């Protein structure tokens, strides 16, 4: 068996069966996988990370995803919406700290008011930073005209996780109605690419009903969609969500964590030059989760710069860092932690993917 994994790891790309095999790698084989992905990362990206200051600007959501703590039907979180001034102050902080990029994330709302508000914010961020601050949006499904408006106003990256690339699994973790439609999510991802965004997607790992084959297909989906950025992380159950009833059927958290590392490692080997986030959910399970993800393939860290008083209410899953346990996400702390794995932070640079440039030159989607 050790041999066959060794042979597999000489390849640059994998079939579904290969991926399933590699996702089951343990012990020495797992170490071989992580060594290979770390080598690929070093060769194509370097031992470096880029920052995106994360502003979780609102937890108001019109959707009812069965796994998510800020789903519309959950009456427990206090709903908040940062003022424009609070958002701009956080963006200014990121700019002055040399983060070079921010990521604006919220629950999903679609309305002319939201469209104009975000367009206005984008204009203001671009203005005060002389166009220097890069902007990633992650505000869910919208009409193509809305995506285009925001792109023209200066957003150039968009993160929209497909959550699960198997439509049957997707249906099991979402309400079965028009507002939670797999096809629409896919169409949204497609229009983001068509408009010219660096398009990012991702999945949750360790969901109830999810099989290893599903995870293998998730990676093939990302490869075939020719995605520029990926943010994938472990599913962590939340007590106020319908999926909590399957909590006793889940893999232990530690195994979901390890499986996520393997997914990151495999995708790094398959898609050498994409941007990959070390997720907060990994850090929630293991305090060194982000560093471990960076070591084996991730190259983007999103320090949370949402004002502290709102953080308890962006409670997507159990134990997500809130106001009582805000990790020290200051750059000095991050620098010190990353130095332990011989990795440096690149300041003042967007860190856009070579993959994106190549895809556009090829005239790809
Ligand atoms: N509404 C936007 C969207 O769906 O693209 C962005 C906000 S949404 C809350 C951000 C991400 O949180 C989702 O894409 C989902 O993968 C993740 N998430 C939600 N609930 C989670 C859970 N219980 N465990 C892990 N991740 C979760």
């Amino acid at each position: 068996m050790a041999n066959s994994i060794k042979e597999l790891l000489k390849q640059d790309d994998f079939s579904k069966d290969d991926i399933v095999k590699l996702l089951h790698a343990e012990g020495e084989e797992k170490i071989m996988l992580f060594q290979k992905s770390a080598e690929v990362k070093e060769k194509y990206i370097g031992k470096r990370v880029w920052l995106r200051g994360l502003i979780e600007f609102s937890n108001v959501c019109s959707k009812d995803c069965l796994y998510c703590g800020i789903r519309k039907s959950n009456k427990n979180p206090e709903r908040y919406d940062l003022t424009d001034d609070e958002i701009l102050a956080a963006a200014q902080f990121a700019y002055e700290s040399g983060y070079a990029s921010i990521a604006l994330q919220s629950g999903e709302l679609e309305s002319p008011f939201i469209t104009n508000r975000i367009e206005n914010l984008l204009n203001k961020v671009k203005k005060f930073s002389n166009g220097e601050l890069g902007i990633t949006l992650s505000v869910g499904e919208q009409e193509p005209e809305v995506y285009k408006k925001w792109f023209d106003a200066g957003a150039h990256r968009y993160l929209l996780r497909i959550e699960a690339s198997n439509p049957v699994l997707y249906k099991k973790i979402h309400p079965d109605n028009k507002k939670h439609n797999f096809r629409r999510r896919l169409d949204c991802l497609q229009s983001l690419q068509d408009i010219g965004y660096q398009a990012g997607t991702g999945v949750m790992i360790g969901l109830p009903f999810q099989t290893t084959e599903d995870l293998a297909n998730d990676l093939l989906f990302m490869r075939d969609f020719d995605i520029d950025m990926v943010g994938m992380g472990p599913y962590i159950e939340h007590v106020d969500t319908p999926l909590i009833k399957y909590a006793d059927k889940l893999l232990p958290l530690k195994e979901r964590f390890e499986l996520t590392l393997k997914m990151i490692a495999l995708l790094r080997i398959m898609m050498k030059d994409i941007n990959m986030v070390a997720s907060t959910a990994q850090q929630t399970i293991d305090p060194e989760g982000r560093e471990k993800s960076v070591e084996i393939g991730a190259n983007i860290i999103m320090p949370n710069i949402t004002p502290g008083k709102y953080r308890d209410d962006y409670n997507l899953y159990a134990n997500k860092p809130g106001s009582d346990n805000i990790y020290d996400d200051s750059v000095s702390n991050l620098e010190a932690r990353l130095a332990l794995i011989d990795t440096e932070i690149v300041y003042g640079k967007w860190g856009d993917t070579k993959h994106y440039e190549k895809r556009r030159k090829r005239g790809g989607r």
Side-chain angles (χ1 to χ4, degrees):
M1 186 70 181
N3 249 346
S4 77
I5 293 281
K6 201 170 170 182
E7 286 306 308
L8 276 183
L9 287 174
K10 288 182 184 157
Q11 300 172 194
D12 265 345
D13 195 16
F14 305 115
S15 68
K16 181 175 156 192
D17 286 349
D18 297 341
I19 298 175
V20 168
K21 228 182 242 174
L22 287 156
L23 286 173
H24 284 122
E26 286 304 335
E28 225 178 280
E29 295 177 343
K30 187 175 78 177
I31 293 170
M32 282 195 275
L33 165 63
F34 291 166
Q35 276 169 347
K36 167 80 191 248
S37 65
E39 275 165 30
V40 172
K41 183 187 164 194
E42 188 168 354
K43 178 163 174 205
Y44 289 85
I45 310 254
K47 289 190 150 205
R48 299 184 291 172
V49 297
W50 287 260
L51 304 176
R52 318 277 184 245
L54 175 62
I55 310 172
E56 295 166 333
F57 69 92
S58 171
N59 67 353
V60 181
C61 193
S62 63
K63 293 183 85 173
D64 239 341
C65 306
L66 304 180
Y67 45 84
C68 184
I70 62 166
R71 65 198 301 270
K72 183 178 178 214
S73 299
N74 184 8
K75 301 289 174 245
N76 288 334
E78 191 154 330
R79 298 294 164 170
Y80 73 84
D81 195 4
L82 264 63
T83 63
D84 286 3
D85 283 349
E86 285 171 315
I87 297 172
L88 291 169
Q92 184 86 40
F93 167 80
Y95 181 54
E96 283 163 11
S97 311
Y99 285 17
S101 292
I102 53 169
L104 290 172
Q105 193 183 84
S106 69
E108 291 198 26
L109 294 176
E110 287 186 76
S111 74
F113 173 78
I114 297 287
T115 306
N116 292 334
R117 182 183 183 207
I118 291 182
E119 185 184 23
N120 196 23
L121 280 165
L122 292 168
N123 285 327
K124 286 188 174 156
V125 171
K126 284 288 157 189
K127 191 157 180 218
F128 84 69
S129 70
N130 304 314
E132 287 172 21
L133 199 57
I135 307 172
T136 307
L137 287 178
S138 177
V139 295
E141 295 165 31
Q142 305 283 340
E143 289 301 306
E145 308 78 68
V146 176
Y147 287 146
K148 176 79 172 79
K149 214 174 221 189
W150 293 342
F151 184 74
D152 291 342
H156 63 132
R157 310 184 191 108
Y158 204 106
L159 193 54
L160 185 78
R161 285 185 175 181
I162 193 72
E163 315 293 2
S165 68
N166 173 352
V168 178
L169 176 57
Y170 189 91
K171 222 172 183 170
K172 288 186 180 159
I173 60 170
H174 292 97
D176 188 9
N177 59 33
K178 257 171 58 190
K179 205 153 181 62
H180 301 81
N181 184 295
F182 178 80
R183 189 67 238 177
R184 181 169 192 228
R185 206 147 177 100
L186 207 55
D187 289 346
C188 284
L189 205 50
Q190 180 69 73
S191 58
L192 288 165
Q193 266 193 343
D194 292 344
I195 289 164
Y197 281 93
Q198 292 175 46
T201 195
V203 294
M204 282 174 288
I205 296 159
L207 286 162
F209 318 113
Q210 190 179 47
T211 64
T212 318
E213 281 75 18
D214 285 328
L215 290 172
N217 283 328
D218 287 339
L219 294 183
L220 296 174
F221 167 83
M222 293 175 210
R223 182 197 68 187
D224 296 344
F225 214 93
D226 212 3
I227 212 73
D228 301 303
M229 321 185 297
V230 167
M232 52 186 167
Y235 161 69
I236 303 177
E237 60 274 30
H238 188 299
V239 68
D240 297 323
T241 60
L243 285 194
I244 195 70
K245 60 175 177 273
Y246 304 107
D248 60 347
K249 298 197 166 41
L250 299 171
L251 289 173
L253 278 175
K254 178 99 189 41
E255 285 180 39
R256 279 177 256 169
F257 176 86
E258 287 295 322
L259 204 47
T260 302
L261 288 183
K262 289 179 195 166
M263 290 283 283
I264 293 174
L266 285 167
L267 195 62
R268 176 55 73 207
I269 299 170
M270 294 163 68
M271 302 189 79
K272 298 177 171 38
D273 51 6
I274 61 168
N275 276 348
M276 239 192 294
V277 180
S279 73
T280 313
Q282 278 293 74
Q283 186 192 19
T284 302
I285 298 181
D286 178 336
E288 286 167 22
R290 285 199 303 203
E291 290 81 358
K292 288 180 183 168
S293 306
V294 165
E295 234 180 335
I296 53 108
N299 65 324
I300 301 290
I301 288 190
M302 299 172 74
N304 196 335
I305 56 168
T306 312
K309 63 179 173 182
Y310 298 112
R311 292 195 199 175
D312 285 345
D313 290 313
Y314 204 80
N315 190 12
L316 307 179
Y317 44 78
N319 300 320
K320 183 173 179 286
S323 57
D324 58 343
N325 59 348
I326 290 178
Y327 289 109
D328 183 355
D329 257 358
S330 64
V331 283
S332 54
N333 185 48
L334 277 176
E335 269 178 19
R337 298 177 71 106
L338 290 165
L340 297 174
I341 54 165
D342 196 19
T343 295
E344 63 165 343
I345 297 175
V346 182
Y347 293 103
K349 291 268 184 330
W350 280 6
D352 284 344
T353 66
K354 294 205 185 79
H355 184 264
Y356 172 76
E357 285 163 40
K358 284 194 240 157
R359 177 167 68 76
R360 301 296 288 179
K361 273 193 199 132
R362 277 201 308 272
R365 289 187 303 204

